[in-house]
């Protein structure tokens, strides 16, 4: 059995606060801020007019009452859609925000994981990488942003375009050799599915100097297991309850 560490991992709001508010919306991000998280994970895509927008799926069908690919809508059109479809009972309409809007509405100390999905053509991804680099440069966010993806081609592209921007490899399966591939890509962060995290993986990650961020953890017992292994951060849909739990844990340890 691993020894229990007294360190508390950083809590990261998954798509803002996906279990508590409409995902990837300003309302969700502000709720995560109120919960006290120091970092937020979100998904970045591009609109028809080349603006960086925050949306997990390639289509708008699941989170809005419209249908079609996100890249077929302009940024202003996406902002007018009501993105609370999968959050029954949410009190007021919320649009699909731009990445710039999210950054502007969060505190200037907030950390971010900007995840970019794979599956799009290289021309699209090249433009997205260029726009991401420009936003990070203009807002001088290099010390609080990591660009993540499971798409190794995109991560290499981002590394070429913006070698000074931190990158993270998102990995779900053990056969993909998480720590080895992360290091081979030149990434400093491993964004690992919680099922992958064992004492052996953590040992390998530490040997390679990797930051280990774990997704998506919604069970407090699992979170405690991961904390005992020394993960650096835990991505959760429920930042309010997780922050409260680990705050109580710290208070008990200080007594």
């Amino acid at each position: 059995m691993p020894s229990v560490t007294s360190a508390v991992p950083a809590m990261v709001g998954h798509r803002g606060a996906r279990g508590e508010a409409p995902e990837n919306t300003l309302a969700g991000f502000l709720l995560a801020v109120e919960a006290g998280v120091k970092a937020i994970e979100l998904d970045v895509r591009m609109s028809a007019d080349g603006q960086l927008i925050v949306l997990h799926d390639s289509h708008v069908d699941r989170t809005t009452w419209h249908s079609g690919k996100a890249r077929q809508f302009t940024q202003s059109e996406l902002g007018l859609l009501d993105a609370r479809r999968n959050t029954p009972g949410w009190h007021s309409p919320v649009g699909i925000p731009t990445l710039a809007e999210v950054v502007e509405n969060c505190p200037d100390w907030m950390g971010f994981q900007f995840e970019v999905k794979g599956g799009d053509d290289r021309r699209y991804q090249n433009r997205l990488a260029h726009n991401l680099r420009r936003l990070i440069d203009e807002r001088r966010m290099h010390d609080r942003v990591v660009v993540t993806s499971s798409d190794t081609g995109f991560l290499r592209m981002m590394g070429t375009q913006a070698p000074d921007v931190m990158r993270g490899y998102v990995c779900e399966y053990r056969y993909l050799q998480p720590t080895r591939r992360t290091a081979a890509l030149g990434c400093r962060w491993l964004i690992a599915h919680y099922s992958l995290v064992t004492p052996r993986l953590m040992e390998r990650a530490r040997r390679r100097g990797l930051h280990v961020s774990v997704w998506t953890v919604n069970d407090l017992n699992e979170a405690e297991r991961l904390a005992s292994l020394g993960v650096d951060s835990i991505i959760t849909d429920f930042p309010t309850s997780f922050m409260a739990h680990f705050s109580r844990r710290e208070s008990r340890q200080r007594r």
Side-chain angles (χ1 to χ4, degrees), residues 214-247:
V214 186
W215 58 277
T216 299
V217 184
N218 293 328
D219 178 85
L220 287 170
N221 290 326
E222 181 63 19
E224 287 288 1
R225 181 187 76 85
L226 295 163
S228 75
L229 293 178
V231 301
D232 297 288
S233 54
I234 292 175
I235 303 170
T236 180
D237 289 336
F238 299 96
T240 300
S241 59
F242 270 53
M243 288 296 297
H245 172 81
F246 280 99
S247 292

Side-chain angles (χ1 to χ4, degrees), residues 125-135 158 161:
Q125 290 195 331
N126 186 67
R127 189 179 181 193
L128 194 156
H130 171 80
N131 290 346
L132 261 182
R133 179 191 58 77
R134 185 170 62 185
L135 180 140
M158 194 72 199
Q161 288 201 26

Side-chain angles (χ1 to χ4, degrees), residues 50-204:
Q51 299 299 306
L52 296 174
I53 55 104
V54 182
L55 184 68
H56 178 272
D57 301 359
S58 59
H59 289 65
V60 301
D61 304 47
R62 182 175 61 85
T63 55
T64 79
W65 284 271
H66 291 71
S67 62
K69 291 184 177 180
R71 60 192 291 186
Q72 294 173 334
F73 294 83
T74 66
Q75 172 265 310
S76 60
E77 289 170 338
L78 291 167
L80 293 174
L81 302 184
D82 187 350
R84 56 178 169 154
R85 181 175 183 178
N86 65 328
T87 313
W90 189 256
H91 48 78
S92 55
V94 284
I96 295 173
T98 65
L99 184 58
E101 287 173 332
V102 174
V103 171
E104 288 164 4
N105 280 275
C106 287
D108 59 11
W109 45 258
M110 180 63 70
F112 291 99
Q113 292 184 23
F114 294 161
E115 182 173 357
V116 176
K117 301 297 182 186
D120 289 299
D121 61 84
R122 288 308 183 208
R123 183 177 179 182
Y124 170 95
Q125 290 195 331
N126 186 67
R127 189 179 181 193
L128 194 156
H130 171 80
N131 290 346
L132 261 182
R133 179 191 58 77
R134 185 170 62 185
L135 180 140
I136 293 167
D137 286 349
E138 289 176 352
R139 296 173 186 271
R140 300 179 181 179
M141 298 177 66
H142 298 78
D143 61 342
R144 59 192 182 101
V145 168
V146 55
V147 175
T148 75
S149 185
S150 60
D151 185 325
T152 57
F154 176 80
L155 289 171
R156 292 188 183 96
M157 182 186 297
M158 194 72 199
T160 299
Q161 288 201 26
D164 56 342
V165 173
M166 286 187 291
R167 292 170 296 133
Y169 175 51
V170 178
C171 189
E172 184 173 4
Y173 303 109
R174 201 173 308 280
Y175 75 86
L176 293 174
Q177 299 178 313
T179 58
R180 182 181 299 179
R181 184 165 295 197
T182 302
L185 289 165
C187 295
R188 293 169 56 189
W189 287 49
L190 168 60
I191 318 299
H193 189 266
Y194 69 88
S195 64
L196 297 181
V197 182
T198 62
R200 188 174 183 183
L201 179 135
M202 290 303 300
E203 180 185 350
R204 290 174 172 175

